[in-house]
Amino acid sequence: MVFRVLSSLVSSRLRVAGILVLLALAVLSSVVRVHLYGHFEGIYVLKTRPGWVEITDDLIFGDEGRLLFALPAEPIIRFLRGDVSHAKDAPYREYEWFRSDGSGFVRAYFPDGTEFLTCMSRFLDSGGNVTKGLFVGGALPFDLKDSRRISQNESGMAFFDGNRWNHLWCNVNESISSWKHPEAALPPSSWRFLGSGVVKETGDELVIASSHEVVLDGEPVRIDRHAFFKSGTRYVALAIRITNTGKSPTGFFYVYGDEPWVGEYGSSAGNVGWVRDRLVPYEGTIDTRAYRWAGYFHYGNEAAGESHAYSGFANFIEWQGSLCPDLAYFSNRIGFFAREKDRVPLADANNRVLFLQWGPRLLNPGQSETIILSIGMADRDPRTGFPVKPDTTFDAAGYASLLATGI
């Protein structure tokens, strides 16, 4: 099991960058804007206001509706270097990570022809802002002429079953707020980005880190994130350490959630909640100490009048360690939920959500709290077809040693 690192393609990407520069110089005028991310994923021409266009070197998820022309770098790179063959008898991965803005992807390939994709910070949030760091969301640049690459199912976290892409997790809805003003949530795009990078790489494991800073009630708070990818798995372990680096006590609320659209991007149809021992067809909260994970199952919710003619794929999010969420709930809208005994079906066409919340949590100066999550795709019981959480053993001692290395 090996990782195939795409950084070896830098020289080819520089050639593509040269083409981009030449194109920009050739067409540069008062109605053309050049926006370079430094990714050199290709040449993309986007429409802006009437009579204006934007030339960029990457296509970020959310901008595809503005695309006028696409010349992805990948086909050019593969032509320049020649086709590369890979052993098919063991899983392998490829990844790409840009330290400068904390964005990239990790893609796992399996001997049976299936693939598991995780994109991070390759999207514009609901405010049209770019997110930097280890936040699930976005998609790879695509060519409009390549039918396999235009599927929005191939975004966030997604699974290729050998025939088609199946969507699992969308752009994460993640935020932090002070315990005095929980209504003033700070999305990741507003956090001060301190840096990112690959901090560990072995034949079996890849660890990427990103660091951030926010100010809560006048006190600086540092947020260090580590994502752990293991060969042969279809999930990522995410450790989030929150530290009060100020001189006075402060506190926080932390939220992690999604309307994941399991099965089909843009649709919650067929999504029913699941926990360890049952399906969850109605809105309601989860006892986060009795249950340590939850997810959505693309099976069909009978309480919503749905049949079971769906894909059978499922996702999961697991909370590990001693810091459990103080609240977890299934609902048809963010921030609100009925009691399960009220029997409000999970039935919204595109907004069946799962959210976790920590807080209020007090942090004295120098004190840290660590949230550990496993997020990914559930296995399937071959007898029943129902979801099963995979083994997600987390090396807490190894994580502690990584914290001392920095980015």
Side-chain angles (χ1 to χ4, degrees):
M1 293 183 285
V2 298
F3 291 110
R4 181 166 65 85
V5 186
L6 295 188
S7 59
S8 63
L9 305 181
V10 169
S11 61
S12 296
R13 289 198 182 281
L14 290 177
R15 299 185 199 185
V16 175
I19 296 173
L20 176 62
V21 172
L22 289 174
L23 178 63
L25 291 173
V27 301
L28 191 61
S29 70
S30 61
V31 296
V32 176
R33 175 176 180 263
V34 179
H35 179 193
L36 299 182
Y37 290 95
H39 298 174
F40 307 127
E41 295 283 4
I43 299 169
Y44 299 91
V45 180
L46 311 176
K47 59 184 176 183
T48 56
R49 60 180 185 269
W52 288 69
V53 297
E54 178 181 338
I55 299 175
T56 182
D57 63 343
D58 199 354
L59 187 68
I60 301 301
F61 200 61
D63 270 346
E64 62 276 2
R66 300 197 292 132
L67 184 63
L68 297 173
F69 171 80
L71 179 61
E74 184 180 352
I76 300 173
I77 291 169
R78 294 192 183 280
F79 172 77
L80 290 172
R81 73 178 184 185
D83 290 332
V84 177
S85 60
H86 300 283
K88 301 299 183 182
D89 58 349
Y92 67 92
R93 297 190 189 209
E94 65 180 18
Y95 74 90
E96 184 172 70
W97 190 256
F98 295 100
R99 297 175 58 96
S100 60
D101 64 359
S103 69
F105 69 89
V106 179
R107 193 167 190 163
Y109 298 85
F110 298 86
D112 61 1
T114 61
E115 304 174 25
F116 182 72
L117 173 68
T118 303
C119 291
M120 291 190 162
S121 286
R122 292 193 49 82
F123 65 98
L124 301 176
D125 68 13
S126 57
N129 300 308
V130 174
T131 300
K132 299 180 179 181
L134 292 164
F135 302 95
V136 174
L140 304 182
F142 62 85
D143 183 345
L144 289 177
K145 297 179 181 179
D146 186 339
S147 61
R148 186 173 179 272
R149 295 295 301 278
I150 66 174
S151 170
Q152 290 182 312
N153 281 347
E154 190 182 358
S155 64
M157 280 190 184
F159 178 68
F160 183 67
D161 62 13
N163 180 52
R164 67 187 299 274
W165 283 96
N166 300 270
H167 198 254
L168 295 168
W169 289 100
C170 202
N171 302 342
V172 65
N173 292 284
E174 200 165 346
S175 67
I176 192 169
S177 60
S178 78
W179 64 348
K180 293 181 181 178
H181 300 284
E183 74 285 354
L186 300 173
S189 61
S190 70
W191 302 1
R192 181 187 173 202
F193 177 64
L194 301 179
S196 72
V198 175
V199 295
K200 181 180 179 182
E201 184 183 348
T202 67
D204 190 54
E205 187 177 36
L206 172 71
V207 184
I208 307 173
S210 69
S211 293
H212 314 260
E213 187 179 71
V214 296
V215 177
L216 302 180
D217 296 325
E219 297 300 321
V221 173
R222 182 181 172 106
I223 306 171
D224 294 298
R225 304 167 69 87
H226 287 76
F228 300 76
F229 299 87
K230 293 182 179 179
S231 289
T233 64
R234 295 188 294 264
Y235 71 90
V236 57
L238 178 63
I240 306 167
R241 185 178 66 161
I242 304 170
T243 306
N244 180 358
T245 56
K247 297 181 179 179
S248 300
T250 189
F252 70 88
F253 285 89
Y254 202 89
V255 172
Y256 192 109
D258 198 4
E259 63 285 359
W261 296 335
V262 178
E264 294 290 340
Y265 178 90
S267 172
S268 290
N271 287 187
V272 61
W274 76 282
V275 290
R276 182 189 66 248
D277 55 0
R278 62 188 177 94
L279 297 181
V280 182
Y282 303 107
E283 290 190 5
T285 60
I286 306 163
D287 183 339
T288 60
R289 295 198 175 274
Y291 295 97
R292 303 292 297 203
W293 69 84
Y296 272 106
F297 181 21
H298 197 221
Y299 175 69
N301 186 358
E302 292 181 3
E306 295 171 341
S307 69
H308 297 310
Y310 292 92
S311 70
F313 289 103
N315 69 10
F316 76 95
I317 182 168
E318 177 183 19
W319 41 99
Q320 298 181 289
S322 59
L323 189 57
C324 292
D326 296 285
L327 173 67
Y329 65 89
F330 289 101
S331 181
N332 289 293
R333 55 178 177 158
I334 299 172
F336 301 90
F337 54 87
R339 297 170 298 179
E340 191 167 1
K341 68 179 183 180
D342 293 332
R343 300 175 72 84
V344 175
L346 293 167
D348 193 277
N350 58 15
N351 202 42
R352 302 178 202 184
V353 305
L354 170 58
F355 269 76
L356 312 179
Q357 176 181 296
W358 292 259
R361 306 287 301 185
L362 173 66
L363 288 177
N364 289 310
Q367 184 180 1
S368 297
E369 294 271 28
T370 300
I371 296 168
I372 300 174
L373 302 172
S374 293
I375 308 153
M377 173 180 165
D379 294 334
R380 189 182 301 183
D381 186 321
R383 299 167 302 167
T384 65
F386 275 58
V388 177
K389 186 189 72 66
D391 178 17
T392 55
T393 303
F394 184 77
D395 181 5
Y399 170 62
S401 66
L402 275 176
L403 288 175
T405 65
I407 294 177

